[in-house]
Amino acid sequence: MKLFWHPKTRASRVMWMLEETGVPYEVVPIDLRDPSKPRDPEFALASPMGKVPALADGETRLADSAAICLYLADRYPKAGLAPAVDDPKRGPYLWWMVYGPGAVEPAMMQKFSGAKADRRAIGWGDFDLMIETFEKGLAAGPWILGDRFSAADVVLGSSAYFMMMFGILPASPVIEAYIERCLARPGYKKALTMDAAA
């Protein structure tokens, strides 16, 4: 299995996820700053938009960090990172899996740009509603599905950490404690260590 990776991107999220599965993988660096550099031919097949992260797992190739995390959780069920299809927690799990790219990331861009958002008209509401919803979701904690760590925590935990690193996370003891729990996981430590070394 190949992870197409560039430091300080959502590829760190997928590396964390791969570490949680315990499945062997190879990191294939992609220099996003210089597209003229030679690239593994599988990268273009895995990532039609030329973005990282992307993954090649045998004949399966895909891009987008949330999609890859969904794939890995289902492809390697022994890791226990996703509720089974017939588990009642599967619905909330799927909702939280897409909450990262569907609500957190657009709300982050809104915050960065200073744009106004009409919470009644926009799918993610606005930045404040996104944070309120995130905090409510963690109320039963310690993880987004309660006692069970899942791929949704990889997606959301890394998003929360990005907000903290970029200085846009408002004071939130609930989310801050969640970030600390995520940072304590060996797989996330490894992903962030690799980012820092690049």
Side-chain angles (χ1 to χ4, degrees), residues 7-197:
K8 297 172 180 64
T9 66
R10 291 174 189 86
S12 64
R13 174 184 290 165
V14 174
M15 182 179 285
W16 176 15
M17 181 68 184
L18 283 161
E19 289 295 317
E20 294 286 352
T21 67
V23 176
Y25 64 96
E26 173 190 355
V27 175
V28 180
I30 299 293
D31 189 341
L32 296 176
R33 294 161 299 201
D34 187 355
S36 68
K37 286 193 175 174
R39 294 181 173 181
D40 187 307
E42 283 190 288
F43 176 62
L45 298 173
S47 183
M49 294 178 70
K51 304 277 190 177
V52 296
L55 188 80
D57 184 15
E59 296 301 311
T60 301
R61 295 174 184 88
L62 71 158
D64 187 271
S65 62
I68 295 169
C69 288
L70 279 164
Y71 167 78
L72 291 170
D74 286 345
R75 173 76 174 87
Y76 300 101
K78 288 183 181 175
L81 296 168
V85 173
D86 59 351
D87 186 319
K89 288 198 172 188
R90 181 74 177 191
Y93 161 76
L94 291 172
W95 191 81
W96 287 114
M97 284 295 293
V98 299
Y99 190 75
V104 177
E105 292 181 19
M108 286 173 65
M109 290 310 298
Q110 173 211 332
K111 188 75 168 176
F112 286 135
S113 70
K116 297 285 184 195
D118 181 351
R119 92 169 33 179
R120 295 167 299 162
I122 297 174
W124 68 86
D126 61 19
F127 188 83
D128 293 338
L129 179 59
M130 177 275 291
I131 293 292
E132 291 167 24
T133 305
F134 200 163
E135 289 175 330
K136 286 178 189 172
L138 289 169
W143 306 110
I144 203 69
L145 297 181
D147 289 336
R148 179 180 183 172
F149 178 84
S150 72
D153 294 299
V154 173
V155 171
L156 294 173
S158 55
S159 292
Y161 181 68
F162 292 157
M163 285 191 285
M164 185 182 77
M165 292 304 296
F166 291 130
I168 61 169
L169 181 68
S172 172
V174 172
I175 296 177
E176 291 164 16
Y178 178 63
I179 292 168
E180 289 304 314
R181 289 191 293 278
C182 291
L183 290 171
R185 295 191 71 87
Y188 201 20
K189 285 181 183 175
K190 180 174 180 179
L192 293 175
T193 298
M194 185 150 175
D195 269 359

